Each structure stands twice: as C-alpha cells, then as structure tokens.
Amino acid sequence: MKSALLLFMITHCLDMIDLFNYQRRKSSVAKIGNLLIGGENPIRVQSMTTTDTNDTQACVEQAERIIQKGGELVRLTTQGVREAENMKCINDALKAKGYDVPLVADVHFNPRVADVAATTTQKVRINPGNYVDPARTFKKLEYTDEEYAHELLKIEERFIPFLNICKENKTGIRIGVNHGSLSDRIRNRYGDTPEGIVESCLEFLRICQRESFNDVVISIKSSNTVIMVRSMRLLVEAMEKEGMNYPLHLGVTEAGEGEDGRIKSAVGIGALLSDGIGDTIRVSLSEEPEEEIPVAKHLCDYITSKVAPVTLPETPAKNFNYTHPTRRSTCQVGNIGGEKVPVVIVSKPSSMFEEPKDEEEVVIISSDKPQAPKADYVYVGSELPQNIDKKRRYIVDYGVYNELKEQHSDLMLYPIFPYNAAPFISHIQSDIKFLVLQYGADSDEYVACLKAHPEVVVISMAGKDNQLGRHRALVHDLMNHNITNPVIFAQLYMHSSEEQSEFLLEAAADMGALMIDGLTDGIWLMNAGSLPNAIVEHTSFGILQAARLRVSKTEYISCPGCGRTLYDLRSTIARIKAATEGMKGLKIGIMGCIVNGPGEMADADYGYVGAGPGKVSLYRKQECVERNISEEEAVDRLLALINRDKEEQKQF
C-alpha cells in the first residue's frame, strides 16, 4: 500500500514538473501596490534595507539605491508599532521623489505590528513560526490532537482579522517561512524536516484560501540549500493537491558574502528557477543591499534565456523521487562513485572541448584563501605538463595513453574517450576510464558498452541550451537501463577574468538541480576565456560545498543584516573569517539578531548572535554558552571557545 502511494506521489509530482524541458510554473497573480507578481509577469527582484526604519532619510536613501539598481520591491524591518507607522513616511518620501516601488514591512513576533503595517505599506511579510506561536525553546513539547487543534484555532482567530485589514487597505502579504524559526509546535509534530516547514506554511495558506484572499506570495527559506530546495519542491506538490497556485518567492537565507554567498544563492535559487519554480527572488548577501540586485537579475536572465528550441522526449526513471531525492546508486570506480564524495576535474591548459590556447595559463589564487584544495583529476590532453606532480591524477587522450603510460609507469594516468572512440575502450587496460557522452547519442551502443565496462566513468556533456535538461535526460536514460556507472557533469563557459561573478553564478546554477537530485559523482567546469584556471578549480569546490556534498573549507552562515542588526555586521564577519578561515569543516553562524539566529544555525558548530545593543551571545550548536558579552570582546571570546573545545577533543 505504502509503495503504491509513494509511486502515485512521485508520478503526480513529475506531472507538474518537466524534468527535461524548461517550463515556468503557472501561478496566480498577486497585486502588490501597482506591481504584479506571478502569472506571465517577469520574475521580480528585490532587496531589504539595513537601516533603522525610524530613520526616514536613511531608509529613503538606501531604498533609492536599491531601486536605481533595478530592485522592484524594497523590504524594511518593523520590530514595533513605531517602525510600522513610519513606513508611511518612508513611502510618501519615495513617492515625492517619483518612485512607485512597493514597500514591504517585515514583521516578527508581534501580530499587532502586522495590523498597523497593513495600513501603512503595500505588503506585509509575516513569519508563521513566530506570528502566534510562543517563543522557541528547542525543547520537547508534547501536544495532544486536541491541544494541537486548539493552537490552530488561535492562529485562525488572530490571522483572519489581519486579512480583513489587508483587504480593506488593498495590502498584499508574504507568508515567509524560515527554517530557523519553526515553532516548537511544528518541530515536535513533524520534526525539523521539509515536511514540517511546508506544513507551517500551509496552516496559513488554508486560511487565505478559505477567506478568498489571493494577494499572497509564499517563501520558504533556509541557509541549507538542500533543505530550501526540497521544501519548496514539496510545497509546490502540496499546493497542487490542495488546489492552490500562489506565486513563490525564492531565497537562500544567511548565504554570506562574496563568492561564497553568490555560489550558495545560485545553487539553491538556480535549482528551482531552472525547474520553472519562482516568481520573485532575493539574493541575501552580507553586503550593501543594492549589491544584491545585479546578482539576482543575472540569475533570472541566465536561466530564463536557456529555453531549448527542441523538446527532449526522455522518460523519468521510475525510481527517481523529485521531492525526496536520494543519491543515485553507482558502482565505485577508483575514488569516484559509490559512497565517495563527488570529485573535481580541471583542464590544463586546453582540452578536446575547447580551442587550444597559445600560452599556458598562469594559475593565480588570492592570498586570502589558505590551503586551497586541489582537483582530484587534471585533464592534460595529449601532452603531460613539464612540472608533473607524481601525487596527482592525470587524464590523457586515449590515443596517447599507452605511450605515455609506458614512458611514465610511475604516474597515475587515465584515458578519456570521445563517444565515437567507444569501440577502443576494450583495447586499453586501466582501472579507471572516462567516456564522454551527450544526450542524443545512440543509447543501444553506449548501454552495451557501459554494461560491459564497469570501470568506465561517464562524462556528461551538454551544449549551450537546456544544459540541465540534457544532463538529466542522459542520467535518467542510464537509470532506466539499470546502468550504475558513475557520472560526472561537464560544462564549458566563455568568461574573461573580469567576469568572475558571472561565471560563479552560472556554474552554480547549472549544477544546482543536478546535485540536489542526487545525480552527481563529480563536476568538471571548463572555461575558454581568460578566467584563471585557479578560479575555476576553486569554484568547483565551492559549488560542491554549497550543496552539502563535499566540505573543503570553513563555512560561514551569515545574515545580510537589517534594521534589527545589533552590531557592526560586516567588520565582525571580516574579523571572524580572518581568524578561522583555515579551519576546514567548521561551520560558524554570524547572526545580527535573535529572530532566526539559533534556529538558522541548527547545523552550525558555533554561533555569534546579537543579543542587544552592543551585546553578543555565543552558541555551541543551539545551546547558548555565553550571554550578553560586550561586542568589543565577543570575537576573541568566540575564538577562545573554539580553541578550548579543540583542546578538550584532543584529550579524548
């Protein structure tokens, strides 16, 4: 019975999502001020101010910078009634300057504030986890069915009057669920799971549906890209079952700054946008808010421009579960596949997939990236480099493999075959062989080849259009034929050294869904422009870490800051990173306030959370170990805590 139900759910979900051909999800339209979100309207981009909402001039100036960069909505925090009331002053000041961009009031903990904000602004964001439910304790609390139903009734009694105020004032709402602020009630009934996150959202959506309130946008956010994507996939499925089609807002919360923040955001947001999910997005960076807008716009433009002219007719694999994906079962070939972490391949200096360069690239990596990881394999074509490293693995063209192996028997060399050279695979002896395949090749031929040669690792190549669909289609064809050879996804880009940001975003977006789907045994990013090879190599590891597949450096879960931030966020991030960047595998949460702090840091090893003006609390996991430390000494106290724990671990 259970297996039949599961099969129905899988089939139903795949009916909604075309895995192989881009098609934007059909949603209803929400009217926010004069802005329409969802339906056939463009994907809207937005940001949030970091200024004190009581400071009208500062808010107007920052909102103006966001708008001038292309922001279509601006969100401001409203901790109390005073801030909610001042939203009208900010709105009036912007209109006096000729701007008609909707403002969004961000409300936590106080439903009364939401009521006031509904009269002073065009949209109110509420967080289900702290709208009515009591403050989170992260403790086990048992609810009987009657008690649980009573809590739901309390939500309804408080939420319906708010909806009536919104109807009267033509104010839209965003039901914004944050993974880090799930209520104890939800956690104890559903666990800290995507299912719990979705149910937290649906409790409010069902009320909106019953009350015929349609100007609703929904978001589900997490600092964990895997949870964020899976939760949103589940939400789409759940809404479809309940006859809902509200527009969706996407974002990876607490993504961080710089390249790490961009990669993490692109992995999560890109995975969903590539499946046609998402009507508005925000890229949350610990930088000036206006800097988020170009990143968001590039992601939207890049993904929506890749619509393929030809429909791929592939059938999804029967054992693939879109909403509950698991890693594809593969045989282990050397250090590739099986239970091994995904590998990284790089090209030096040219490859069979790009035009040869006149000069070998100079590898430069910035000095602020200590202990940069090295790729597992280096493709060198038909000629070994002069500065050969005997500790590294090299991939060479099959035509020269035997000769080079004979000359350098002490080196780790492995042959790679283009598809048309597949008949030669059996003529070469090697523990690991690589075969380049593209979707559309004769499956009868490569299926027979792969079944006969379990030592072959597939290199999936895709063109410039519909890369995701083509990569997926090839692997699903392998799965339908019960082929278990590992698959590495390869993609070629054309970026100059001035286009590093674009490369990061595009590569992370292209790989995002493939990694979340559980299809990835490795990645091979190539670039035919002037972008240094070291950047390509470094990005590959960053993408795998963003998808929680391979840890190669310290991870920082840092909020973008807002009007609630209680200390100098950016200088603090810089100080913590400078002191901890070499601590591979360590996760550190850096949160401006308590709203999402302990929850969003659920899987962080340590947390640094604003506790009051100039005050910071330190966490080990979700346990507060030092409270209300002065900002001046908090970073040093955090480092002392980390070092003390290290010493204690050495004793065991």
Side-chain angles (χ1 to χ4, degrees):
M1 182 70 181
K2 285 185 178 180
S3 60
L5 178 62
L6 181 62
L7 180 61
F8 169 77
M9 292 173 61
I10 296 170
T11 305
H12 185 69
C13 187
L14 292 182
D15 286 341
M16 295 185 293
I17 301 293
D18 188 334
L19 293 175
F20 314 114
N21 304 283
Y22 177 84
Q23 184 177 7
R24 188 170 167 191
R25 168 183 169 268
K26 293 180 173 61
S27 78
S28 59
V29 176
K31 191 172 189 294
I32 311 298
N34 292 323
L35 187 73
L36 300 179
I37 298 176
E40 301 295 325
N41 296 289
I43 299 169
R44 309 297 187 179
V45 299
Q46 57 182 285
S47 185
M48 184 175 184
T49 64
T50 59
T51 46
D52 182 349
T53 309
N54 290 314
D55 188 337
T56 302
Q57 182 176 348
C59 290
V60 169
E61 291 174 355
Q62 197 169 69
E64 193 171 10
R65 292 195 294 272
I66 293 170
I67 296 166
Q68 289 173 347
K69 283 277 190 170
E72 296 169 280
L73 294 94
V74 179
R75 182 156 53 109
L76 301 92
T77 184
T78 50
Q79 305 96 302
V81 171
R82 187 180 168 205
E83 287 86 355
E85 290 174 341
N86 200 51
M87 290 287 289
K88 184 177 186 306
C89 298
I90 297 168
N91 190 56
D92 290 344
L94 284 168
K95 285 189 174 180
K97 287 175 168 284
Y99 299 112
D100 195 28
V101 170
L103 300 185
V104 184
D106 194 62
V107 179
H108 294 269
F109 300 118
N110 192 339
R112 169 62 182 153
V113 174
D115 294 347
V116 175
T119 69
T120 61
T121 191
Q122 291 82 35
K123 182 181 176 186
V124 180
R125 181 271 176 117
I126 63 167
N127 187 339
N130 53 35
Y131 184 74
V132 172
D133 283 302
R136 297 174 297 281
T137 63
F138 303 101
K139 295 179 180 177
K140 184 71 175 175
L141 301 173
E142 297 292 344
Y143 287 86
T144 66
D145 290 344
E146 287 184 355
E147 290 171 334
Y148 200 91
H150 180 68
E151 293 299 314
L152 292 180
L153 184 61
K154 285 166 57 177
I155 292 174
E156 188 166 325
E157 290 173 347
R158 188 64 190 81
F159 189 51
I160 289 177
F162 167 68
L163 289 182
N164 290 333
I165 297 172
C166 290
K167 287 179 181 178
E168 183 180 348
N169 290 273
K170 297 182 178 175
T171 305
I173 67 171
R174 169 152 72 92
I175 298 173
V177 182
N178 275 14
H179 176 210
S181 54
L182 290 181
S183 67
D184 287 334
R185 175 177 60 82
I186 287 288
R187 285 174 180 270
N188 284 282
R189 177 63 62 100
Y190 295 93
D192 186 13
T193 63
E195 286 77 8
I197 296 170
V198 169
E199 184 60 25
S200 179
C201 182
L202 288 173
E203 289 175 353
F204 285 74
L205 284 182
R206 292 176 185 124
I207 300 171
C208 291
Q209 189 180 47
R210 289 198 299 271
E211 296 297 311
S212 300
F213 188 90
N214 298 316
D215 290 326
V216 182
V217 181
I218 313 155
S219 67
I220 290 177
K221 295 188 178 184
S222 175
S223 63
N224 184 321
T225 56
V226 177
I227 290 176
M228 175 259 191
V229 173
R230 291 184 180 180
S231 298
M232 193 59 83
R233 287 179 175 182
L234 274 172
L235 177 64
V236 170
E237 179 188 59
M239 285 201 303
E240 182 77 11
K241 290 178 180 176
E242 298 196 28
M244 304 173 183
N245 62 341
Y246 301 110
L248 302 174
H249 170 70
L250 307 182
V252 178
T253 192
E254 279 62 78
E257 61 172 359
E259 64 189 63
D260 290 340
R262 285 161 173 77
I263 289 172
K264 186 183 277 190
S265 296
V267 165
I269 296 172
L272 292 165
L273 286 180
S274 296
D275 282 339
I277 297 171
D279 303 286
T280 172
I281 70 172
R282 182 208 174 180
V283 176
S284 299
L285 301 175
S286 303
E287 301 174 18
E288 292 297 328
E290 62 267 24
E291 297 306 316
E292 298 176 346
I293 301 301
V295 178
K297 288 177 70 68
H298 188 80
L299 270 176
C300 290
D301 293 344
Y302 177 68
I303 289 171
T304 56
S305 68
K306 297 192 301 178
V307 181
V310 179
T311 300
L312 304 183
E314 188 57 46
T315 302
K318 292 180 180 179
N319 60 345
F320 176 73
N321 189 337
Y322 178 74
T323 57
H324 295 81
T326 58
R327 186 172 180 182
R328 172 177 168 253
S329 179
T330 61
C331 60
Q332 184 176 327
V333 182
N335 65 333
I336 306 173
E339 300 298 320
K340 296 292 185 179
V341 297
V343 299
V344 170
I345 301 178
V346 295
S347 306
K348 292 183 181 179
S350 61
S351 79
M352 66 178 72
F353 313 113
E354 58 186 283
E355 292 296 321
K357 300 177 177 63
D358 295 331
E359 302 179 2
E360 185 165 344
E361 293 179 10
V362 178
V363 176
I364 303 173
I365 198 155
S366 57
S367 59
D368 62 344
K369 304 188 188 314
Q371 302 176 350
K374 295 292 185 181
D376 302 277
Y377 294 85
V378 183
Y379 172 73
V380 295
S382 59
E383 186 176 349
L384 293 175
Q386 292 183 350
N387 55 338
I388 196 81
D389 184 349
K390 293 183 178 181
K391 296 180 180 180
R392 302 200 73 180
R393 302 177 181 91
Y394 294 93
I395 301 172
V396 301
D397 294 340
Y398 80 99
V400 298
Y401 171 78
N402 285 334
E403 179 184 351
L404 291 176
K405 187 65 178 174
E406 185 176 345
Q407 295 172 358
H408 304 277
S409 59
D410 57 336
L411 295 182
M412 293 183 285
L413 303 180
Y414 307 97
I416 187 168
F417 302 79
Y419 172 66
N420 58 8
F424 298 99
I425 287 177
S426 60
H427 299 168
I428 292 178
Q429 299 300 312
S430 178
D431 295 336
I432 307 173
K433 303 170 186 176
F434 298 90
L435 175 64
V436 180
L437 288 179
Q438 286 187 316
Y439 179 76
D442 190 329
S443 63
D444 290 339
E445 291 185 8
Y446 66 69
V447 165
C449 173
L450 295 174
K451 285 188 175 182
H453 295 282
E455 77 278 12
V456 169
V457 176
V458 174
I459 304 295
S460 175
M461 286 289 299
K464 295 182 179 180
D465 61 78
N466 194 14
Q467 295 99 319
L468 172 61
R470 294 181 185 279
H471 285 308
R472 269 179 169 163
L474 176 63
V475 181
H476 278 257
D477 185 56
L478 297 179
M479 294 167 72
N480 283 327
H481 286 93
N482 298 316
I483 300 295
T484 60
N485 299 67
V487 176
I488 292 171
F489 296 108
Q491 199 62 53
L492 174 63
Y493 301 90
M494 298 281 292
H495 287 293
S496 68
S497 55
E498 293 76 29
E499 297 172 326
Q500 180 179 347
S501 178
E502 289 83 352
F503 169 72
L504 301 177
L505 294 172
E506 293 171 15
D510 285 337
M511 296 295 158
L514 298 168
M515 295 187 295
I516 303 296
D517 285 356
L519 308 179
T520 307
D521 296 302
I523 61 175
W524 183 355
L525 305 181
M526 295 168 280
N527 186 68
S530 59
L531 193 67
N533 245 352
I535 299 297
V536 178
E537 188 172 24
H538 186 71
T539 299
S540 301
F541 284 99
I543 290 172
L544 291 175
Q545 179 146 334
R548 303 298 176 98
L549 294 179
R550 181 171 179 175
V551 176
S552 57
K553 57 185 176 182
T554 316
E555 182 171 341
Y556 302 95
I557 303 167
S558 61
C559 74
C562 68
R564 297 185 298 267
T565 302
L566 296 165
Y567 58 85
D568 188 334
L569 182 66
R570 294 186 189 104
S571 66
T572 301
I573 292 173
R575 288 178 62 198
I576 293 174
K577 288 184 74 170
T580 61
E581 198 164 16
M583 300 178 182
K584 176 183 173 180
L586 197 69
K587 295 186 185 132
I588 300 176
I590 309 169
M591 303 295 178
C593 71
I594 200 68
V595 168
N596 296 313
E600 208 60 71
M601 301 184 311
D603 63 346
D605 301 290
Y606 299 95
Y608 183 107
V609 181
K615 298 293 183 180
V616 172
S617 292
L618 301 181
Y619 287 74
R620 183 189 291 113
K621 301 293 185 182
Q622 288 183 323
E623 179 187 1
C624 185
V625 293
E626 296 190 49
R627 299 181 184 275
N628 298 320
I629 307 165
S630 70
E631 182 185 347
E632 289 75 18
E633 61 179 311
V635 173
D636 291 335
R637 294 275 285 273
L638 171 65
L639 298 176
L641 173 64
I642 294 172
N643 290 326
R644 190 165 61 247
D645 286 353
K646 279 185 172 181
E647 289 301 317
E648 289 179 1
Q649 290 169 7
K650 288 180 182 178
Q651 297 175 10
F652 292 97

